Amino acid sequence: MLNILQEIFAYLRPWIPHLVIGIAIHLLFLKKFYNNHIQPKFFSWFYPFLANYHVTCREIKRKHFESMKDHKSVDPELRKKGGLRILEIGPGPGYNFEFYPPNSELTAVEVNPFFEEQFFKQQVDHPHIKMNRFVVGFAEKMKDVPDNSVDIVVSTMVLCSVRSIEEALKEIHRILAPGGKYYFWEHVLDSEDFWARLGQNLASYLYYDIIFGCQLNRKSGDIVKANKAGFSKIEHERFRTPPEKGYEYLSYFHSAHAKGIATK
Ligand SMILES: C[S@@+](CC[C@H](N)C(=O)[O-])C[C@H]1O[C@@H](n2cnc3c(N)ncnc32)[C@H](O)[C@@H]1O
């Protein structure tokens, strides 16, 4: 019991200003103002404190993205160099960039403008790819991205936050070139463990409204699997992420995941 309390305190420590200000503003009925202006700034600042998750999942993610290197770009110049036109939705600080094939060109569609600076700064640590464009916008309405123009779309831990998974999938399908692939990776509602599911349902208010803008208890993987959105093939797999060092109990609550690849 003491261990779990220690973990909760260590986990929440970087979020304390965010939580206190968020709850106070919500109590003052300024929810919309908080969610539009304050939450995104806080989020871009403290999300890098959670890099532990990415360190824990790095090798599983590497495997997930491995098949990307065999994909051929529709752009003849990029194809010669083995690169791809990749569009990542909601990259945040850019934990997936290391997995992209050399010579690829990357566009980000990200709703949080405070990540733009971090996106272009990531160029220094990822010289193997080109940070091409940062579009501030919603996955559900990528009007600045032409039809059939992208080889690969990636989203990791984003479908828990979008307003409509169905609309996002339609848009992803629209912008992908024929044969293009959508790689997804999401934490999902734990359908196996009652206590984890209860914890997810209870924590969802804090996660969604105050901290991340993310629904901890969404069935994102199942929705992608069920909603074909015109894709010719959807590979879908449920799995559990390994325990995070120092947060063995807490990380269990969001260890239920789904990943897969949808082909246009
Ligand atoms: C939990 S973070 C995940 C960041 C990163 N993909 C990762 O795996 O660490 C969710 C990200 O999705 C972005 N996001 C949320 N809703 C979005 C939407 N409708 N369209 C585009 N990006 C969105 C957020 O701003 C945030 O950067």
Side-chain angles (χ1 to χ4, degrees), residues 121-247:
K121 276 190 182 158
Q122 287 284 358
Q123 185 67 76
V124 179
D125 293 330
H126 301 87
H128 69 295
I129 57 173
K130 183 173 171 222
M131 307 303 166
N132 214 22
R133 207 174 153 209
F134 187 96
V135 180
V136 178
F138 290 90
E140 300 90 319
K141 207 169 184 184
M142 298 190 271
K143 57 181 179 1
D144 293 335
V145 185
D147 297 0
N148 305 313
S149 62
V150 174
D151 298 309
I152 301 285
V153 174
V154 171
S155 76
T156 62
M157 316 238 285
V158 174
L159 296 181
C160 52
S161 306
V162 299
R163 289 177 188 168
S164 160
I165 295 182
E166 286 77 8
E167 290 304 312
L169 288 176
K170 265 195 227 159
E171 277 292 87
I172 292 166
H173 184 269
R174 176 185 70 75
I175 64 172
L176 275 172
K181 292 192 188 297
Y182 168 43
Y183 286 73
F184 58 92
W185 165 296
E186 297 292 331
H187 63 76
V188 294
L189 179 74
D190 197 321
S191 57
E192 289 166 2
D193 187 309
F194 169 80
W195 293 108
R197 194 160 60 247
L198 183 69
Q200 289 179 322
N201 285 328
L202 291 176
S204 238
Y205 167 72
L206 280 189
Y207 263 64
Y208 189 63
D209 278 336
I210 314 251
I211 303 170
F212 292 111
C214 134
Q215 288 183 345
L216 203 50
N217 54 358
R218 257 197 186 169
K219 297 179 179 173
S220 309
D222 295 345
I223 297 173
V224 178
K225 190 178 158 198
N227 183 327
K228 290 234 163 214
F231 288 100
S232 61
K233 183 172 152 204
I234 298 187
E235 295 159 61
H236 171 268
E237 184 192 343
R238 293 182 76 100
F239 68 107
R240 269 192 196 281
T241 49
E244 281 172 47
K245 212 166 162 229
Y247 299 105

Side-chain angles (χ1 to χ4, degrees), residues 43 47 54 61 88-93 95-96 109-112 115 137-140 156-158 160-163 212:
F43 184 77
Y47 193 67
H54 300 280
K61 270 193 169 179
E88 180 164 346
I89 299 169
Y95 294 122
N96 300 324
V109 173
E110 169 60 71
V111 88
N112 188 337
F115 280 121
F138 290 90
E140 300 90 319
T156 62
M157 316 238 285
V158 174
C160 52
S161 306
V162 299
R163 289 177 188 168
F212 292 111

